Amino acid sequence: MKKHCIYLCSLLAGALWLTAACSAPAELKPICSGEIWPDADGTHINAHGGGVLYHEGTYYWYGEHKSDSTSKALVGVMCYSSKNLTDWQNEGAVLPVVENDTTHDIAKGCVLERPKVIYNKQTRKFVMWFHLELRGKGYSAARAGVAVADQPTGPFRFLRSSRVNAGQLPADWSAEQRAALDTLNADHYKKWWTPEWHDAIDKGLLVKRDLEGGQMARDMQLFVDDNGKAYHIYSSEENLTLQIAELNDDYTAHTGRYVRVAPAGHNEAPALFKKDGVYWMITSGCTGWAPNEARMFSAPSIEGPWTQHPNPCRGPKQEITFGGQSTYVLPVAGKENAFIFMADIWRPEHPIDARYIWLPIEFEEGVPVINWRDSWTLDWFDK
Ligand code: DGJ
């Protein structure tokens, strides 16, 4: 009888343990900025300068494939998928570079940076935009490239690359501002950073220079607003001025409408998000691969006016964005006001070893703040 009881008790205990174990929430994996982030195969994720798309229950992380010794594109745009934002499956190169034609816009060896993907509900296509520099031409092309796919994991079909909005002046310029362009003579402003040069940049010296061929487009972001309108945000005018350009209904071209932000402010790496009707944008300065202090702007409308705020970063190396450079702000699906700041810690001598910074954005009196955390879990947003 005693033996029987012990047997029954241990059965019961086992069942109770099983029930408890099954109903306990799965343990969340920590997010450790600056560390190696292994994918499902145990290999460090290779998706730099990236962004994340959430589609039908899955997150897709797109980014630049970096190789061992060069930052040039030898593979193309990578995609990783995840259900939980911590475990990522490599989906491969969804926009591969072209191997057999050195004259192709995205020929192997070009510079293909900061790819972002958005979903168009009307066309049901996935649209990718990226910063493109032509093979062998350094950073002089300053083009935007676009590709489309039927599935989030591609394959993406390259459509074209070009500068942006040729022949168009900023949408918010008055007749007076447009007329003032005629008075700007580039020969008078050869020396940079003088008050006169600053004033001339503000008035559109480089907008005028690039009017015919289109505006330069380097570091970039995409943003889809609540009304479905999409925007391309990019460093233009020799990286001196950001431009925010409206995309057409299928998101594969510009409409010709654009505004400028912070002329001569030297902003790169724009990352946008919207909270309670306010548009926020985190950017960096322009110091190549070396980190610098993050900047932050807000606006009541995507077309501005944009107001600058203090650096949102707090903690060790806050004055150099914790050693990184912004790339994206990721809204966490299903949670209100949950945003993750994504940045890259570049390693130009060993680009494949570049690391990721993912930190939760906090709000102090409505203003975003990014505190450094060695390690955190997603339930931070539930607190
Ligand atoms: C900084 C940019 O943000 C990067 O995407 C890359 O273009 C480097 N400059 C190149 O120096």
Side-chain angles (χ1 to χ4, degrees), residues 64 113-114 131 139 219 268-269 288-289 325 346:
E64 305 158 26
E113 293 182 338
R114 298 182 177 270
H131 163 207
Y139 273 80
D219 277 16
E268 281 190 325
W289 298 111
Q325 187 183 26
W346 301 115

